Amino acid sequence: MRTAAVTQEQREQQEQQEQRAQQERQERQEVRREIRRTLRELLAKRAGPAGTRAAVATPEGYDTGLWTALAGTLGLPGLALPERYGGAGCGPAELAVACEETGRALTPSPLLATAVLAAPLIAALGTEAQRADLLPRIADGSLTCALALPGGSLPLALDLVGDNTATPWAGGGRSGGVQAVPLPDGGWSLYGEAGHVLDGHSAGLLLVAAHTGGFPRSRTLLFFVKAGATGLVRRREATLDLTRSQATLELRDVAAELLGEEPLDVLGALAATGCAAAVALAAEAVGAARGALDRTVEHAATREQFGRPIGSFQALKHRLADLLVQIESARSLTHCAAADGDPVSAGLALAQALDAQRAAAAETIQLHGGIGVTWEHDAHLYFKRAAADELLFGPAAGLRARAAERAALFGEAGGAGGTGGAGGTGEAGGTGEAATASGAFGAFAGSAGSAASGASGEVA
């Protein structure tokens, strides 16, 4: 009787836990729907094609009034920051929804550079005094940040296309990258150059990766550099994608402050940031792809040829339908990656999203005909965003290769020429390797399918 009573009590506790978990999921889904609805309404009013073109022509490269509304009123930069620092205490899934909507409108803003790249590093590595000083200002939008990595090494430094601990990317020795030298007063001095820094020309605070130490203690650290520091020269670059501003930074004996206190796992923090950034970038790419598709569908419904809308022709229907399937597949993978927080899932989601964005941009130009390649039309904005994203954060093949490396798909398990997982010759070993690949990607595909079935009402 005692055993039966304990079992019944355990069942009741489990049911209560499941009910609480279900209620929490429903509440988070409602939060995401509200974020999506509010953002879409605001961006439809203030971030149309004319507004975007005007914003990129400003010295900042974005609409400061719109950023004030996004940050101060909606609190987008603080979505994923803890509540004790003025944030909303949400997670990557909520930030991904915001990025998807800003990507859909191709909205130029400091959201990616500040909230996705810089803020997580400050939260992970900063001292309590640094976090208390900077994160509340990031959350309310009064402070924008930029992550400066030398040599255009953003995807490698974030562990997206290669192991950031195995390949030198921050410069070393006496030349290359950015060098950091300790000063007698406890400060630091930086010397070097970093290019392709997102929003680097307008950010109020720069987070610079620099190499320091001789051979025995060679390491990469992150440093704060204030916008008006002596010896700092910032030049806005001419970029392919006008909606994503970049800059070149020259540092000539610039005073800097170390982020955190040594010892620091900077490379580990960059890899963790890269996982979350991959989800946000994938969501942004999915939004841009869907925005391009919506414009193309609208054009196909109104453009007439041979006395009927071109969208009524079966060949165009099939092309648009195939594109929708590709975009929705990328969207499901993105929401799956946001839910499980796995770097393999995140890398694959970003690769799929970049492919979908490139396909959507190409079809947009093709189905608009000659007008699609003119400067006055918006189709070229989507095409340039797709091309620039793959150059900045890819390529997609590199993302998939790194995901395969992380999952050890072609590692020692069932190694070539050895005793395979099926037991026997090297040929059988290949079978074991294939089984490993099938199992790893099968598990991911299954979780993605679950996310897709559960996300249809939440995401649509």
Side-chain angles (χ1 to χ4, degrees):
M1 294 294 294
R2 179 182 177 85
T3 303
V6 170
T7 303
Q8 180 64 25
E9 183 179 354
Q10 289 176 344
R11 287 201 196 97
E12 292 177 354
Q13 290 178 351
Q14 184 176 2
E15 290 177 358
Q16 292 175 357
Q17 291 175 353
E18 291 176 353
Q19 290 175 357
R20 285 196 295 268
Q22 178 65 20
Q23 184 178 0
E24 289 178 359
R25 284 195 294 269
Q26 292 175 350
E27 290 176 352
R28 293 180 77 89
Q29 288 177 1
E30 182 59 33
V31 168
R32 293 168 199 164
R33 281 193 290 266
E34 185 63 20
I35 292 172
R36 185 180 301 281
R37 183 192 64 80
T38 306
L39 258 181
R40 188 169 296 186
E41 290 178 356
L42 177 62
L43 295 178
K45 295 177 182 177
R46 302 189 55 175
T52 297
R53 293 174 186 273
V56 299
T58 63
E60 296 82 5
Y62 61 91
D63 183 348
T64 55
L66 178 59
W67 174 246
T68 300
L70 295 175
T73 305
L74 301 182
L76 290 195
L79 273 179
L81 292 179
E83 294 181 6
R84 67 179 181 275
Y85 297 121
C90 296
E94 288 74 23
L95 186 57
V97 170
C99 289
E100 184 177 341
E101 289 304 312
T102 57
R104 186 188 188 100
L106 296 182
T107 307
S109 79
L111 182 64
L112 176 62
T114 299
V116 177
L117 296 177
L121 291 170
I122 296 173
L125 298 175
T127 64
E128 180 56 35
Q130 289 172 338
R131 291 195 293 265
D133 175 40
L134 299 174
L135 292 182
R137 291 193 284 153
I138 290 175
D140 65 20
S142 60
L143 177 66
T144 58
C145 303
L147 177 62
L149 303 172
S153 55
L154 182 61
L156 177 58
L158 296 179
D159 211 29
L160 294 177
V161 296
D163 186 353
N164 66 0
T165 65
T167 306
W169 52 267
R174 296 181 177 271
S175 64
V178 179
Q179 304 298 317
V181 179
L183 300 177
D185 61 0
W188 292 81
S189 176
L190 304 185
Y191 191 96
E193 182 175 307
H196 308 303
V197 180
L198 295 175
D199 294 318
H201 68 291
S202 61
L205 185 69
L206 303 172
L207 194 56
V208 182
H211 174 269
T212 188
F215 178 74
R217 294 197 64 211
S218 175
R219 61 202 187 278
T220 299
L221 299 174
L222 293 174
F223 298 88
F224 293 124
V225 174
K226 295 181 180 179
T230 303
L232 172 65
V233 178
R234 305 193 287 181
R235 295 194 309 271
R236 185 175 178 180
E237 298 175 356
T239 58
L240 174 65
D241 179 13
L242 301 178
T243 64
R244 209 187 287 286
S245 299
Q246 300 174 45
T248 297
L249 308 182
E250 294 181 0
L251 302 105
R252 300 292 182 261
D253 298 323
V254 176
E257 175 188 353
L258 177 66
L259 172 61
E261 295 178 347
E262 293 196 82
L264 293 164
D265 184 15
V266 172
L267 300 182
L270 284 168
T273 299
C275 178
V279 173
L281 289 166
E284 193 180 63
V286 167
R290 188 54 193 263
L293 175 61
D294 289 345
R295 288 176 181 271
T296 306
V297 169
E298 181 182 359
H299 175 76
T302 57
R303 175 75 168 91
E304 291 190 359
Q305 190 72 295
F306 305 109
R308 57 190 289 191
I310 62 174
S312 64
F313 296 110
Q314 191 177 50
L316 296 188
K317 288 181 180 180
H318 288 177
R319 291 172 68 173
L320 292 173
D322 289 344
L323 190 58
L324 176 63
V325 170
Q326 186 175 3
I327 294 172
E328 289 303 310
S329 172
R331 187 192 228 184
S332 296
L333 290 174
T334 299
H335 284 268
C336 173
D340 63 26
D342 178 52
V344 174
S345 302
L348 292 174
L350 179 55
Q352 183 76 4
L354 290 177
D355 284 346
Q357 183 179 217
R358 184 177 64 250
E363 289 286 23
T364 296
I365 292 176
Q366 285 286 321
L367 298 182
H368 275 81
I371 194 176
V373 296
T374 61
W375 179 259
E376 293 77 14
H377 201 274
D378 300 328
H380 77 93
L381 295 177
Y382 290 97
F383 175 77
K384 291 177 179 179
R385 168 63 68 90
D389 275 3
E390 188 139 12
L391 291 172
L392 276 172
F393 310 115
L399 294 166
R400 291 190 175 95
R402 178 57 176 154
E405 182 183 1
R406 285 180 181 275
L409 298 187
F410 309 108
E412 296 180 358
T419 322
T425 64
E427 187 175 340
T431 305
E433 181 178 296
T436 305
S438 175
F441 276 94
F444 175 72
S447 60
S450 300
S453 60
S456 57
E458 168 193 340
V459 177

